[in-house]
Amino acid sequence: MCVRISSSFTRIHTIPSLSSTPSRLSKHTSTPYSTLLQTPELPHEPQYSSPINAEPLHRYTTGGYHPITLGSLLHQGRYKILHKLGWGGYSTVWAARDEQEGRYVAIKICVSKNYHGNRGHREMNVLKSLDDTQHVVRMLDHFDVEGPNGIHPCLILEMLGPSVSDLVERRFADGRLPGSFAKGVVRQALMGLDALHRREIAHGDFHIRNLAFTISSVANISEDEFINLLGKPDVGYVRYNDSGRLGHGIPEYIVRSAGLHARSWPLSDTIKLVDFGESFPRKDAPKTLHTPLVVRAPEVIFKDRLDYRVDLWSLGCMLFELFVGQPPFDSFLITPKILVEQMQEMAGEALPDRWVPLWESMRGANATEAGGPGLQEWLEEMYFDGERKEDLTRDDIVELGRIIRKLLRFEPGARASVEEILNEPWFEN
């Protein structure tokens, strides 16, 4: 295990668990991104409980999630719900059968638009503008569904396979992709991101959990065979902790998300960008983003003006993680103050003057000087750790560090463009 003495604490770097659910911390695990997402706080005494650990039940309320049961039909009976694929702070995602077109799809059901502005419709409009763009998930249909908790935008998306992080967890015990395979993933991710940035659209949540593999067509298999690929749904009935009746808008049961990475999906070698819930065009930039803190751009932390270049910082973090097997910054017990200190160590440059007053307020009286290694030193120390497989040379890692350094710049305008990174000869070798 590598221990780094940072400017304010002992920094223990571990390989992250690349799953969507928290796992036991060990030498080769740390807190996954999903636990770092900002979601509304839990009530002090939860009213409801379920044996399934999934989306928070208190979010099934006016303005929150839409309750779903397996086998239910949406949009005049066209879409039949078969399984749950996942959930986030602002949506649940379900596998369904499109009875009209005879295909399997993913349905993203957003929280009520009446209480969360235009999040769902903004995502819908972004995906419309990217229709048939290579290496970007396709939106096939969209509609609103009205339920007890409000009116919910629903996005019908092509059915994709596991994410890159799922694949790493399943097939690579040390958490590290082979170098040539990682380069192929990067090239495709860059092509997808370049298509967004040419339209001045930010993804806003760019990391390896939002890169998914396409799958061979499963349209011709039966529902039973499809569900078998996902695994039999595991449900946990919801109960009212005071022995009363379930409230209006609370689901009868919670469904555990399907383990895509644990099944024998007919994968292709094509990668697509997914989850555009944080995406935005330049003319409709939000005040903040909910990107996982460990890959969040510094301008988000310092509440600066945002545009598509937030993705460039996240891209630098993603490159480090894809080739090394862990993010460049700590993911365990990280705070904005600690993260900014580590950012300064990595970037090796001063914060922009306009951020300094807020930074002085953040760090308070216990200010310390940065004392950790810089980007290249840390990159080499982590890659050549003697514990994980090494198939890249030291010259390769020097080149990788040079590329990452062009992205981990505090000033958004100083970062290399996606097109520039895509044209780097190193990714073709």
Side-chain angles (χ1 to χ4, degrees), residues 233-299:
D234 183 11
V235 303
Y237 285 87
V238 177
R239 68 180 184 88
Y240 186 61
N241 290 337
D242 290 335
S243 301
R245 297 181 62 183
L246 296 182
H248 189 60
I250 301 294
E252 178 186 357
Y253 52 79
I254 293 294
V255 183
R256 191 186 306 278
S257 299
L260 289 177
H261 61 290
R263 302 288 166 178
S264 300
W265 280 89
L267 298 183
S268 76
D269 58 359
T270 301
I271 296 290
K272 291 198 174 190
L273 274 64
V274 300
D275 195 352
F276 284 73
E278 295 288 319
S279 62
F280 62 92
R282 189 165 194 163
K283 294 180 180 179
D284 189 22
K287 296 294 184 183
T288 190
L289 292 170
H290 302 91
T291 317
L293 184 57
V294 72
V295 295
R296 190 175 300 172
E299 59 265 35

Side-chain angles (χ1 to χ4, degrees), residues 96-115:
R97 175 76 175 176
D98 181 347
E99 303 287 11
Q100 180 175 306
E101 296 294 333
R103 60 189 175 188
Y104 296 99
V105 297
I107 302 184
K108 183 173 186 175
I109 306 177
C110 303
V111 293
S112 174
K113 65 181 182 180
N114 294 353
Y115 293 85

Side-chain angles (χ1 to χ4, degrees), residues 8 12 14 28 31 52 54 66 75 82 109 118 136 153 176 193 213 234 280 290 303 318 358 400 414:
S8 61
I12 303 175
T14 52
H28 292 302
T31 307
I52 299 295
H66 178 62
H75 203 41
L82 302 177
I109 306 177
N118 64 346
V136 172
R176 178 180 290 175
L193 194 60
F213 289 91
D234 183 11
F280 62 92
H290 302 91
K303 303 176 183 179
M318 188 198 77
L358 181 54
L400 177 61

